[in-house]
C-alpha cells in the first residue's frame, strides 16, 4: 500500500474542507450523469478504491486525480476557478536583499 504523505491531523482545516467538497461534488455529479464508478475509473486510469477515497475527500489522493475527475465530469471551471494572472504571471526580476543578520546565519550553515 502506498505511503500517505498528508495526515488529516496536520492538514489545514480549509484544505480538508475543500477536499471533502470536491469529493462530494465528484460523487454527486457521477451519479447525476449516471456514470458508473468502473467507467469513471477507466477514464481516469485509477482503481475503484482510489475513487472511493477521492469521493470521501481523502488527502492521500493526489490533486491530479481530483482535478481530472472534475474535468471529466465537466465541472472543473466551477469547482476550481482559474487564478488571476497577477498571481502567477512573471514580474520584473528584483533581487531580494538579505539583512546582515540573515546573511550571517546563512554563512554559519
Amino acid at each position: 500500500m502506498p505511503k500517505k504523505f498528508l495526515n488529516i491531523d496536520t492538514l489545514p482545516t480549509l484544505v480538508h474542507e475543500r477536499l471533502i467538497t470536491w469529493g462530494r461534488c465528484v460523487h454527486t455529479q457521477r451519479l447525476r450523469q449516471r456514470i458508473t464508478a468502473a467507467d469513471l475509473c477507466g477514464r481516469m486510469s485509477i482503481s475503484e478504491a482510489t475513487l472511493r477515497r477521492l469521493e470521501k475527500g481523502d488527502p492521500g489522493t493526489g490533486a491530479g486525480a481530483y482535478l481530472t475527475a472534475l474535468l471529466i465530469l465537466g465541472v472543473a471551471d466551477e469547482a476550481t476557478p482559474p487564478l488571476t494572472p497577477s498571481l502567477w504571471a512573471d514580474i520584473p526580476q528584483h533581487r531580494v536583499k538579505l539583512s546582515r543578520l540573515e546573511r550571517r546565519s546563512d554563512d554559519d550553515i
Side-chain angles (χ1 to χ4, degrees), residues 96-108:
V96 176
K97 284 189 156 187
L98 298 176
S99 70
R100 287 184 199 153
L101 181 62
E102 289 171 323
R103 280 183 284 189
R104 202 171 301 135
S105 66
D106 285 345
D107 292 338
D108 293 341

Side-chain angles (χ1 to χ4, degrees), residues 27-86:
H27 181 74
T28 302
Q29 290 300 316
R30 182 176 64 77
L31 294 178
R32 279 188 187 158
Q33 297 176 30
R34 297 181 182 183
I35 298 173
T36 65
D39 286 344
L40 185 58
C41 289
R43 291 180 70 183
M44 294 178 62
S45 300
I46 62 172
S47 68
E48 288 193 37
T50 301
L51 179 62
R52 282 192 299 274
R53 287 186 13 240
L54 184 147
E55 289 182 345
K56 290 180 182 178
D58 186 338
T61 308
Y66 282 99
L67 296 173
T68 301
L70 293 167
L71 181 67
I72 289 171
L73 295 168
V75 295
D77 285 338
E78 293 174 64
T80 58
L83 294 174
T84 59
S86 64

